[in-house]
Amino acid sequence: MANLFLQVLNVRSFSLNASSNGAPLINNNNNNNNNNNDMALLMKKKREGPVIIEVPVDKIRRPLMRTRSNDPVKVQHLMDSIKLIGLQVPIDVLEVDGVYYGFSGCHRYEAHQRLGLPTIRCKIRRGTKETLRHHLR
């Protein structure tokens, strides 16, 4: 996400927020006063395709048992990068009936956990229970 503050001829100023892929960026954090507006936008975007939002890390279920552990060096490099420039590529998350399921982005997810960050940028794709069953096979 880029935050940009511009001041034009010392007369007008405005700020601009954007995600790295051009998708609308909304915040799914309950501490945000605009949460109702954000969720309304999310509901609208659900019908239109994936959307980028901040999701609380503890609200993402990781249902697959790990067949391998994460590379600790890679996780550390990601932690250093996230501290410096933030998460550049959101993790892919499947939303089924209001529950978030993560199947990829294991190193990025662990880096956020270890940094103690409350939320992580996610590309949300809405799915059905049948879609979820397909991912669990």
Side-chain angles (χ1 to χ4, degrees):
M1 174 185 68
N3 287 321
L4 180 63
F5 180 79
L6 298 175
Q7 192 166 10
V8 180
L9 300 175
N10 294 328
V11 177
R12 293 186 179 185
S13 62
F14 59 93
S15 63
L16 173 70
N17 293 324
S19 68
S20 59
N21 67 354
L25 180 66
I26 60 177
N27 188 344
N28 191 20
N29 187 340
N30 290 333
N31 295 331
N32 187 344
N33 292 334
N34 295 323
N35 195 42
N36 290 337
N37 293 338
D38 291 347
M39 291 310 293
L41 178 59
L42 176 60
M43 297 305 287
K44 178 182 176 198
K45 294 303 287 179
K46 281 182 180 179
R47 294 185 294 270
E48 299 172 11
V51 64
I52 307 294
I53 64 171
E54 292 279 335
V55 175
V57 172
D58 62 354
K59 298 294 183 197
I60 300 171
R61 295 185 183 179
R62 314 271 312 165
L64 297 180
M65 297 294 290
R66 287 192 180 149
T67 56
R68 61 178 172 80
S69 62
N70 288 336
D71 178 353
V73 173
K74 184 174 181 179
V75 171
Q76 186 60 53
H77 285 298
L78 281 166
M79 290 171 63
D80 296 341
S81 174
I82 290 166
K83 280 192 260 184
L84 185 64
I85 62 174
L87 182 65
Q88 297 300 297
V89 179
I91 64 170
D92 293 323
V93 171
L94 179 66
E95 183 267 321
V96 178
D97 296 334
V99 180
Y100 299 111
Y101 297 91
F103 295 97
S104 63
C106 299
H107 290 89
R108 290 170 283 166
Y109 181 84
E110 183 178 332
H112 271 69
Q113 281 185 314
R114 290 184 48 198
L115 286 169
L117 298 173
T119 62
I120 185 168
R121 270 179 58 211
C122 300
K123 182 168 81 171
I124 305 294
R125 183 172 52 93
R126 189 169 185 212
T128 64
K129 289 181 181 176
E130 182 58 35
T131 306
L132 179 60
R133 280 192 285 275
H134 174 75
H135 281 283
L136 293 173
R137 291 183 198 158

